[in-house]
Amino acid sequence: MTSDLLITNVRLLDPAGGLDATGALLVREGRIADLGASLGKPDGTAILDGGGAVLCPGLVDMRASLGEPGAEYRETIATAAEAAAAGGITTVAALPDNQPATDDPALVRLLRARGEETQSLGIVPYGAVTRGCKGEELAELGLLREAGAVAFTDGARAIGSARTMRLALSYARGFGAMIVQHPEEPSLAQGGAATEGELATRLGLPGIPAAAEAMIIARDIRLAALTGGHVHFAHVSTEEALDLIRAAKQAGVQVTCDTAPPYFDLNETAIGDFRSYAKLSPPLRTETDRRAVAAALADGTIDAVASDHQPRDPDDKRLPFAQAAAGGAGLATLLGVTLAQVHNGTITLARAVELLTAAPARLLGLEVGRLARGAPADLCLFHPERAWKVEAGELPGKAQNTPFDGRALEGRVLGTWKAGRRVFG
Amino acid sequence: MRYPHRHLLAIEGLHPHEIGHLLDLAESYVLLNRQGKTQRDLLRGRTLINLFFEDSTRTRTSFEIAGKRLGADVINMSVSTSSVNKGETLLDTAWTLNAMNTDLLVVRHAESGAPSLLAQKVDAAVINAGDGTHEHPTQALLDALTIRRRKGRLEGLTVAICGDIAHSRVARSNIHLLTTLGSTVRVVGPPTLIPADAGRLGVEVHHDMAKGLAGADVVMMLRLQKERMAKGLVPSPREFFRFYGLDREKLAHAKPDAMVMHPGPMNRGVEIDSAVADDPSRSVIAEQVEMGVAVRMAVLDTLNRNWLRNDL
């Protein structure tokens, strides 16, 4: 049972409804009962003074691995939920490349139920595009959709075969679902550990050319045009790829994309001296590419920002660089690192919140991600200027493999509510 | 202090005077070695472990002799690379070595960065004896000493490094060392064996041996591993030899007194013709091996002194 709650003295920020105003918000029975400049206090309602902080929809993270099922030593749904709550995230789209892969309707239902059990984090599963995420036979997309899969992807594995991608885009179109691609030409990326170029050459690391991303994106844009399907590119990281996506959008192709904070906050120099915690997939890029990603947040080429949370155990990372597992923890730092682009003047606060709430919710077809009467009371209260420092080992949740260790951030979550229930702060 | 570091992990980042210090000290060991004098008190009671995750008779033996001439207790550890999880072995080994109070640790590993990972975890002074395709600092030092003794200097010389640059830690260490000390460095090889953005390392890039060797004072050949052919980077050994193998005809493009070097072991008839490799007027390959021992004595001595000062 949740009692009624009136949150007063906040900056209500709801990009979906175009709202940015000082006011209050009333929560009743897990939903937003009312919001506005001044609300009366019904009897028996608890009051929380927001102290002038920002109240926005709970963040919708459209890309994260949760460790379950199959890699519980890295993260569990319970520990991921803890990290998400601390990061202001109330809904997460869970990647399917687990052990076993989410290629069966029963697993979709299980993941949804496991999310409900946490009472703090809604889990909306992706279905696998291919059985076992192996890139061969199509999974039962229709049945997965019916069971509640929000979209389809093979997770961190690129769909390398043009024929398979064509079939997936074409078939999923019948169910109105998008295909999410990890854009990386597998035969060029195989064995690579860093972006090909001067730094990888100096470190003696096998390189992945940046063109491996643009090639798959160019191909899949053509396949989307051919099939009329909707392709969504995850964690786009290069200028060339963004130029292709920008042009395809202008041409009317159904193409969207997201990126993750490392790609607009860090460049490849973060791996200097073989720092395996900055080994990601795709690998960190040059400063030119980083700037292009930041610019694409502002001009709308990038539709959403996702955490791309990939939990790793210390033993996965304390290895020679090329052998270390790629991937970074990202739930707790999603908001703070995105807000750095507000503080440096690249995007507005409203745009940052849109990239983290309304935009991903719209892409995934969810009713969350907005502040509206009757909508679920998934809320995030944060102070945009409050400073904190990212410290590996001190982060909420189990996975501590942050690429942002030591980064000072401005923007701290003060409180998180899931369906009206306070789950953080 | 003239080489003020605890470890020797890479040439990149070293200052000219630090490299010069090691070369000068090595020079003095060349003389002592030739006189048959030993300095067995310098490392007396110190434990040196040769930790080799990759086979290498030549480098391991060179470090072993260097350590023994300075009086260290030398232990060779060869760790099978076929272990289930190489990475676990690496850090497990680090804990073991710490428990055994190792003073000097010489590491060879197939993965770039493995020695610097170990250096973060062990108390010993770590010497990189070759890591993946990253660096092989003592090889570059011994090459520089060989050149300096023959030519009297490094500054102003033109050095052509030829063959599989992309996969060569020897090439990287030599590029950093020679450009730091003022040589002009060219890399010569087929485009598939030249690493990305090689030009940004301060070298000239050539794909034609005639142009790459034109007027060179030093021609440094690299070993071409058979697996490069298997991966399709080079179609066949005979094709490679035709265009990039060093024979008398190609060597004629270099200066008449150009010296020929090879880190060994050689693939005769692939990257180098026996007529060149065995020509005592051109080839300094045997001398490189001699310089190797002296350079490693200098490195062991220097790192041990730094440790004794206890201020690092």
Side-chain angles (χ1 to χ4, degrees):
Chain A
M1 272 303 295
T2 53
S3 60
D4 294 358
L5 172 69
L6 183 66
I7 306 174
T8 63
N9 188 22
V10 289
R11 178 176 170 187
L12 296 166
L13 191 52
D14 179 44
L19 173 68
D20 185 356
T22 303
L25 182 143
L26 178 66
V27 176
R28 180 173 292 154
E29 290 171 359
R31 294 199 169 252
I32 297 168
D34 200 2
L35 70 166
S38 64
L39 301 180
K41 175 186 174 293
D43 286 345
T45 302
I47 289 191
L48 178 84
D49 184 339
V54 175
L55 186 68
C56 73
L59 309 191
V60 179
D61 180 3
M62 71 176 295
R63 184 179 180 87
S65 282
L66 301 180
E68 281 195 58
E72 289 80 359
Y73 72 101
R74 291 171 163 171
E75 188 90 278
T76 63
I77 285 171
T79 62
E82 187 194 329
I89 299 165
T90 50
T91 303
V92 65
L95 289 169
D97 46 342
N98 312 302
Q99 281 297 335
T102 315
D103 60 0
D104 189 284
L107 285 165
V108 175
R109 291 192 190 95
L110 174 72
L111 283 168
R112 282 194 170 264
R114 293 295 309 278
E116 281 162 22
E117 279 171 24
T118 68
Q119 295 187 46
S120 71
L121 181 66
I123 297 177
V124 290
Y126 281 108
V129 175
T130 61
R131 286 178 202 271
C133 295
K134 287 180 181 159
E136 291 155 14
E137 305 162 72
L138 278 193
E140 294 165 319
L141 305 191
L143 293 176
L144 290 166
R145 181 79 166 155
E146 199 173 56
V150 286
F152 301 97
T153 180
D154 276 353
R157 283 191 209 163
I159 299 159
S161 153
R163 181 177 178 276
T164 303
M165 189 61 175
R166 178 194 178 166
L167 285 176
L169 281 166
S170 189
Y171 188 71
R173 184 179 160 227
F175 300 100
M178 67 181 181
I179 303 291
V180 178
Q181 172 74 298
H182 168 74
E184 193 173 54
E185 167 54 44
S187 70
L188 284 180
Q190 195 183 16
T195 296
E196 190 173 285
E198 181 185 349
L199 183 73
T201 291
R202 285 180 186 274
L203 293 174
L205 294 174
I208 302 172
E213 180 172 283
M215 286 174 66
I216 283 280
I217 285 177
R219 183 198 79 177
D220 289 353
I221 285 170
R222 281 162 179 75
L223 292 174
L226 178 70
T227 58
H230 177 181
V231 65
H232 177 92
F233 299 110
H235 44 220
V236 177
S237 62
T238 63
E239 181 174 34
E240 195 185 355
L242 289 163
D243 288 345
L244 290 166
I245 293 166
R246 194 175 290 117
K249 284 184 166 187
Q250 279 162 10
V253 182
Q254 274 204 80
V255 51
T256 51
C257 70
D258 67 70
T259 194
Y263 303 108
F264 54 76
D265 196 72
L266 300 172
N267 64 29
E268 59 181 352
T269 60
I271 67 164
D273 203 25
F274 305 101
R275 266 193 77 232
S276 61
Y277 281 76
K279 182 179 178 184
L280 306 175
S281 176
L284 289 169
R285 307 296 191 181
T286 62
E287 177 62 8
T288 306
D289 284 327
R290 185 200 68 78
R291 285 168 192 244
V293 172
L297 295 174
D299 74 14
T301 304
I302 291 174
D303 298 274
V305 172
S307 74
D308 206 10
H309 181 71
Q310 293 284 345
R312 298 290 179 256
D313 183 77
D315 287 346
D316 299 325
K317 286 288 191 183
R318 286 188 203 142
L319 290 171
F321 193 89
Q323 291 176 344
L331 295 172
T333 51
L334 174 63
L335 178 65
V337 181
T338 303
L339 289 178
Q341 296 299 316
V342 177
H343 298 306
N344 72 17
T346 304
I347 52 174
T348 63
L349 184 62
R351 174 66 178 152
V353 171
E354 180 183 30
L355 286 162
L356 296 168
T357 59
R362 196 162 52 234
L363 284 167
L364 298 170
L366 306 175
E367 66 160 345
V368 296
R370 61 203 171 99
L371 300 182
R373 286 180 193 86
D378 289 3
L379 305 169
C380 170
L381 181 71
F382 69 94
H383 195 297
E385 269 98 37
R386 187 161 299 176
W388 62 293
K389 190 172 174 185
V390 182
E391 284 182 83
E394 304 292 325
L395 292 171
K398 189 169 185 182
Q400 299 294 320
N401 55 307
T402 174
F404 299 109
D405 190 22
R407 176 87 162 84
L409 294 175
E410 283 177 87
R412 180 134 223 193
V413 177
L414 305 175
T416 308
W417 288 262
K418 178 67 184 172
R421 180 175 176 272
R422 188 156 194 174
V423 296
F424 176 76
Chain B
M1 197 183 299
R2 282 178 285 183
Y3 179 88
H5 307 288
R6 191 177 150 202
H7 308 292
L8 176 62
L9 300 173
I11 297 292
E12 185 176 13
L14 295 185
H15 295 291
H17 67 273
E18 296 169 355
I19 297 167
H21 168 73
L22 293 174
L23 294 179
D24 292 344
L25 186 58
E27 187 83 51
S28 70
Y29 278 116
V30 175
L31 298 177
L32 287 175
N33 286 341
R34 287 191 177 171
Q35 291 163 4
K37 291 183 182 168
T38 53
Q39 298 259 316
R40 294 196 193 276
D41 51 328
L42 278 178
L43 292 184
R44 189 177 303 284
R46 296 268 172 271
T47 304
L48 184 160
I49 295 190
N50 270 327
L51 180 60
F52 277 61
F53 293 88
E54 255 187 358
D55 292 338
S56 162
T57 309
R58 186 179 301 247
T59 304
R60 198 204 66 217
T61 308
S62 182
F63 271 107
E64 188 173 355
I65 292 170
K68 285 182 172 166
R69 285 202 183 146
L70 296 174
D73 297 320
V74 181
I75 292 113
N76 291 320
M77 279 179 72
S78 293
V79 184
S80 166
T81 47
S82 61
S83 319
V84 181
N85 187 330
K86 284 182 249 179
E88 267 186 16
T89 307
L90 185 64
L91 282 197
D92 288 349
T93 308
W95 312 131
T96 310
L97 296 169
N98 269 347
M100 294 192 295
N101 295 320
T102 309
D103 300 302
L104 294 153
L105 182 64
V106 175
V107 185
R108 158 75 55 102
H109 199 284
E111 292 288 344
S112 301
S116 70
L117 181 63
L118 265 178
Q120 292 163 22
K121 307 286 174 189
V122 298
D123 302 326
V126 176
I127 300 162
N128 179 4
D131 62 328
T133 55
H134 177 224
E135 285 225 33
H136 191 351
T138 58
Q139 178 71 43
L141 288 165
L142 76 87
D143 287 340
L145 184 62
T146 309
I147 298 169
R148 204 176 75 167
R149 284 171 59 86
R150 285 275 174 142
K151 301 286 181 188
R153 65 196 164 101
L154 291 165
E155 198 174 349
L157 295 181
T158 298
V159 182
I161 307 176
C162 310
D164 183 2
I165 313 293
H167 303 93
S168 176
R169 51 197 175 212
V170 174
R172 281 173 181 73
S173 287
N174 266 305
I175 287 168
H176 296 311
L177 191 154
L178 293 167
T179 54
T180 301
L181 292 188
S183 306
T184 298
V185 179
R186 299 177 188 159
V187 296
V188 192
T192 46
L193 296 179
I194 302 286
D197 291 337
R200 297 225 186 148
L201 272 52
V203 301
E204 296 172 19
V205 178
H206 292 272
H207 304 304
D208 177 343
M209 286 287 270
K211 287 180 187 157
L213 265 54
D217 297 286
V218 179
V219 180
M220 198 178 274
M221 301 308 298
L222 300 171
R223 179 177 166 76
L224 180 73
Q225 291 179 353
K226 289 199 182 78
E227 66 189 72
R228 308 302 168 216
M229 255 93 66
K231 285 187 176 170
L233 295 170
V234 173
S236 71
R238 67 175 189 175
E239 175 154 329
F240 185 81
F241 184 71
R242 167 71 187 84
F243 295 100
Y244 298 100
L246 187 68
D247 53 19
R248 288 190 185 283
E249 189 192 336
K250 295 193 192 81
L251 183 57
H253 295 284
K255 280 191 181 156
D257 64 344
M259 54 194 275
V260 174
M261 309 179 76
H262 194 297
M266 288 181 279
N267 287 313
R268 291 165 184 271
V270 180
E271 71 263 358
I272 193 162
D273 189 30
S274 288
V276 173
D278 301 334
D279 178 353
S281 70
R282 310 304 294 269
S283 166
V284 295
I285 294 168
E287 197 173 322
Q288 286 175 271
V289 178
E290 183 194 356
M291 294 306 123
V293 175
V295 153
R296 284 157 187 140
M297 290 170 79
V299 170
L300 294 173
D301 183 9
T302 300
L303 295 186
N304 183 56
R305 280 175 205 268
N306 290 350
W307 182 84
L308 287 172
R309 285 170 187 237
N310 203 21
D311 58 358
L312 292 172

